[in-house]
Amino acid sequence: MNIYVGNVSYQTDDSRLVELFSEFGEVASARVINDRETGRSKGFGFVEMANDTEAAAAIEALNEKEIDGRTLRVNEARPREERPRRAPRY
């Protein structure tokens, strides 16, 4: 199951997400999304867990929980919507 993790601290990195979610089961991948131009965290990420039962337990336990000074928003990720590409900035 792909899990959306929102409102994460800007200091949170991929390994911190793995640490948080591995308490509930095996984490296949974890990624904090960064701004392409600045490299700074956008304040959200995604965690992939192979076992849906473990993923559901993680969502239940971590949604609305305060971590690193921020209240997390955790839920099952929705499929990515296709968006038109923007023209490059020059």
Side-chain angles (χ1 to χ4, degrees):
M1 177 185 296
N2 195 20
I3 302 168
Y4 168 82
V5 187
N7 202 37
V8 297
S9 165
Y10 292 114
Q11 286 70 44
T12 298
D13 60 8
D14 298 353
S15 62
R16 178 71 169 132
L17 288 181
V18 170
E19 178 186 326
L20 289 170
F21 282 81
S22 63
E23 180 180 331
F24 302 95
E26 182 182 344
V27 174
S29 67
R31 186 168 155 223
V32 173
I33 305 303
N34 294 316
D35 184 274
R36 289 182 190 162
E37 294 178 18
T38 66
R40 183 175 178 221
S41 168
K42 287 189 165 190
F44 69 94
F46 295 93
V47 174
E48 181 76 33
M49 296 181 78
N51 183 302
D52 288 351
T53 304
E54 293 170 350
I59 291 169
E60 179 70 28
L62 295 174
N63 188 40
E64 306 266 333
K65 184 171 183 178
E66 187 173 318
I67 303 289
D68 300 329
R70 305 287 300 257
T71 302
L72 297 182
R73 303 286 181 254
V74 183
N75 51 53
E76 185 172 353
R78 291 178 281 178
R80 186 173 181 167
E81 295 178 9
E82 288 298 317
R83 297 183 296 175
R85 301 260 285 156
R86 293 189 308 183
R89 294 187 219 171
Y90 295 103

